[in-house]
Amino acid sequence: MKSPALIFLGAFLVNNIILMRFLGLCPFFGVSTAVKIATGMGMAVIFVMTLASWITWAIYHAILLPFDLVFLRTATFILTIASLVQLVEMFLKKSYRVLYNALGIYLPLITTNCAILGITFLNIDNKFSLLNGTVFALGTGFGFTLVIITFAAIRERLDLAPINPSLKGYPISFIAASLMALAFLGFSGLFGLT
Amino acid sequence: MNELFVVSASPHVRGKMNIDLAMRLVIIALVPALSYSVFLFGIRVLIITAISIGASVACEALMQKMLGKKITVTDGSAVLTGLLLAFNLPPAVPLWLPAIGSAFAIIFAKQLFGGLGYNFINPALAGRAFLMASWPLFMTKAWLAPANGTLSGIDGITSATPLSLLKNAANYGDPSIIVRQLNDFDTIKNIFFGNIGGCIGETSALLLLIGGLFLIIIRVVDYRIVVGYLVSVAVLVFVLPTKGTLMFHLFSGGLFLGAFFMATDWVTSPVTHKGRWIFGAGCGILTIIIRIWGGYPEGVSYSILLMNVFTPLIDSLTKERVFGELSKKKGVKK
């Protein structure tokens, strides 16, 4: 069994959710136009990912596994994550206005994202305990945040470059992201993690 | 009072340094290392370098023509990219490899982003990382032994470069003996003078040091990045558990090539002074982390690429307060 620190580093850098697993690309490209927006998105992802890993872990081990309903995994997880986040959003709006304003529009945006669902599945597939699953979700969320903020800073600079009109916007962003992934290959094999 | 004053916007005093001159000076500083490499590994080195530079210049001209821009291959930046890419290749790679690497470097890392001054990542290193991801066998196995020595710098061990020997000592015999031999004065001497195997341009630490110091003295290269890089490597060698000594880590691999010639690229390193220190230190930290715990024997090229990626963020976080601008926290400064 890997230690929580290694699980965190693996999810954070080595198997970065964006640059190595290629999950969650829609928020990565859609919400990375400015560093400030990207930071908000990153925070929302960390928050929702951790929450989702808890609730799905509980549901999987308390309901799906005992009643032999594992085949319902995908549908159950999507539904529970979406409704949970909606509930939390309403709760935050009433009780924690500051946090609600900070996470803002990004909270509902990220709810149905493949990255969130992917992490809950990976938690199950890796047979993580609740603690390790939390660490894994946190590491993935922080990895997402690091990469999207860095990418937003790069895109702010790309806005000023004399890029061919046919490539401006998303096309050059995809090329930039691929070069970033190339650089992140430097982390592959770090601490023997694959 | 007949004299007329010219009223114009600043700057009023201009230096003589421009892109053309700077690129030529960097190329001149690399020539000693290249000539020595030809002596070590034979004429093949020159052919690889020529192919790399040729492909790089041709792609630059072609892309600029296609994108409807002014063709500026004479500024020497494409030549330098080709030269640096060749410096990062093992001497026995097939001859088509440098051409593909150069094409990737110039087209995808440089010209599509708007050409010189707008690439966020070092083109030569991007080309190397691309080749590393696509043809890892050529990039990690195609070594040649130097003319009067062995690949590892140790008598009798001929199948690994010093850094990969340090990483996988157990594969080549008794690890404790090998590590002691690696840190031996004779081996360090071989590594420092370049009498070892390795990438085309990285073998001789001495010649790279001379070229690098020349560039620092004429102020083409900023000392902050180089010092930040080398000092952080030196500190980490003492702090972290590594089998190599300080001298071994400083002189082996591509550290000097990276620290003096690649990390200091004007375009892909931060513009602020504080940012340059951070950039250099970050490169050093990542290099040592990859060397000790990473999946590769050498971490210089990936560490610089990763710091290139972080450069826009470092720049925006270390932005200096503009004269007259109010400080964010305190409001009016007294």
Side-chain angles (χ1 to χ4, degrees), chain A residues 150 157 162 164 185-186 188 191, chain B residues 67 112 118 293 296 302 309 315:
Chain A
T150 322
R157 184 182 274 196
N164 195 283
L185 275 181
S188 75
F191 300 106
Chain B
L67 293 169
L112 290 185
Y118 297 100
W293 293 300
Y296 312 95
Y302 282 114
V309 167
D315 260 341

Side-chain angles (χ1 to χ4, degrees), chain A residues 17-18 21-27 41-57 73-74 76-85 106-124 133 136-138 140-142 144-145:
Chain A
I17 184 130
I18 299 286
R21 289 194 199 275
F22 308 120
L23 286 175
L25 292 183
C26 359
M41 190 69 200
M43 295 301 133
V45 167
I46 296 175
F47 183 74
V48 174
M49 219 168 242
T50 317
L51 217 58
S53 74
W54 287 341
I55 187 83
T56 53
W57 191 87
R73 188 168 82 157
T74 312
T76 330
F77 282 12
I78 292 177
L79 277 175
T80 41
I81 294 171
S83 36
L84 173 81
V85 174
Y106 310 115
L107 206 53
L109 266 183
I110 195 66
T111 310
T112 49
N113 191 267
C114 60
I116 309 287
L117 192 67
I119 287 312
T120 61
F121 284 169
L122 285 172
N123 264 337
I124 305 292
F136 184 67
L138 276 176
T140 310
F142 277 107
F144 180 91
T145 310

Side-chain angles (χ1 to χ4, degrees), chain B residues 2 30 39 52 62 109 143 160 212 230 266 290:
Chain B
N2 291 335
L30 287 168
F39 161 74
S52 182
L62 191 70
W143 308 115
L230 298 180
W266 289 351
I290 295 176

